[in-house]
Amino acid sequence: ITTGTSPTTFDPDAALTRAHLVTFLWRYNDEPAISDPAVVTYRVSSGVSPVQSTRITVNAADPAATVTRGQAILHIWDSAGRSAGAPPHDFDDVDGIYNTAISWAAHRGVATGATDSAFSPDTHLTRADLIAILWRLAGQPKAGVPPHSFDDVDEPSHQQPVSWAAHRGITNGTSAGTFNPDAPFTHRQLNIFLNRYHKHTCR
């Protein structure tokens, strides 16, 4: 269960971190394998009064894996309260686990398909795509949002969402002057952005 802090010391009075505790419990339970699909849930708070909280899930099997469009919508739908009852979507390439989430996203106008009949749930989500989705989820705010300072955001439809995200502290870009809009997202990064979104926009 523990190997100590060195080959000859246990350090019994040292503070135990949450990660250490979970590791000890995992070893105590014979190191169970992670099932697939595996998720870990984080509770995040809005940072406003009264405090509102939500739960966000990320891929626990490989947090560094890139996020697909379908996975992103599933996580965003989950963090938004798992609303049901939206009219069925019209996409030919969506079924199973993504059905309800993508129906909700299409009905809310949060996400559009790659074409009129295809959502392309298994293609990678880009940084610009995620920001656009979160901007729509927030109600497409425009008032009082100063322009962003990134040199590499050229697509007109990305200007307002990226400006909003930078202004809200959801993203600070990949460097002082770059946003890297076409880069894919990892599950870990998706969790960070959703955490920031809820912290800065929940009311």
Side-chain angles (χ1 to χ4, degrees), residues 3-57:
T3 56
T5 55
S6 81
T8 59
T9 59
F10 182 76
D11 210 358
D13 296 321
L16 188 72
T17 69
R18 288 161 52 89
H20 289 147
L21 176 60
V22 170
T23 301
F24 288 178
L25 292 174
W26 176 68
R27 290 174 181 162
Y28 175 80
N29 283 281
D30 298 321
E31 302 184 7
I34 298 172
S35 59
D36 185 30
V39 297
V40 61
T41 302
Y42 296 91
R43 184 168 182 236
V44 298
S45 298
S46 63
V48 297
S49 184
V51 172
Q52 301 177 28
S53 65
T54 188
R55 292 188 179 274
I56 294 174
T57 58

Side-chain angles (χ1 to χ4, degrees), residues 23 27 29 33 39-40 59 67 69 76 92 103 106 133 149-150 152 183 187 198-201:
T23 301
R27 290 174 181 162
N29 283 281
V39 297
V40 61
N59 186 315
V67 179
R69 286 167 50 85
I76 292 168
D92 298 331
S103 293
I133 289 170
S149 59
F150 304 119
D152 59 347
H187 286 267
H198 284 282
K199 179 178 179 180
H200 293 293
T201 64

Side-chain angles (χ1 to χ4, degrees), residues 99-191:
N99 258 329
T100 304
I102 290 178
S103 293
W104 164 82
H107 179 65
R108 284 279 309 270
V110 170
T112 58
T115 68
D116 289 341
S117 60
F119 188 81
S120 298
D122 297 323
T123 60
H124 294 314
L125 182 80
T126 68
R127 289 170 54 84
D129 287 340
L130 177 62
I131 291 302
I133 289 170
L134 295 179
W135 177 68
R136 295 186 198 112
L137 184 63
Q140 302 185 28
K142 297 177 181 178
V145 177
H148 64 77
S149 59
F150 304 119
D151 299 329
D152 59 347
V153 179
D154 301 320
E155 177 65 38
S157 63
H158 294 159
Q159 300 300 327
Q160 195 66 45
V162 172
S163 294
W164 163 80
H167 177 63
R168 279 294 192 179
I170 296 170
T171 180
N172 52 11
T174 54
S175 73
T178 59
F179 178 71
N180 210 1
D182 298 324
F185 256 96
T186 67
H187 286 267
R188 182 182 292 111
Q189 290 168 334
L190 174 63
N191 180 64

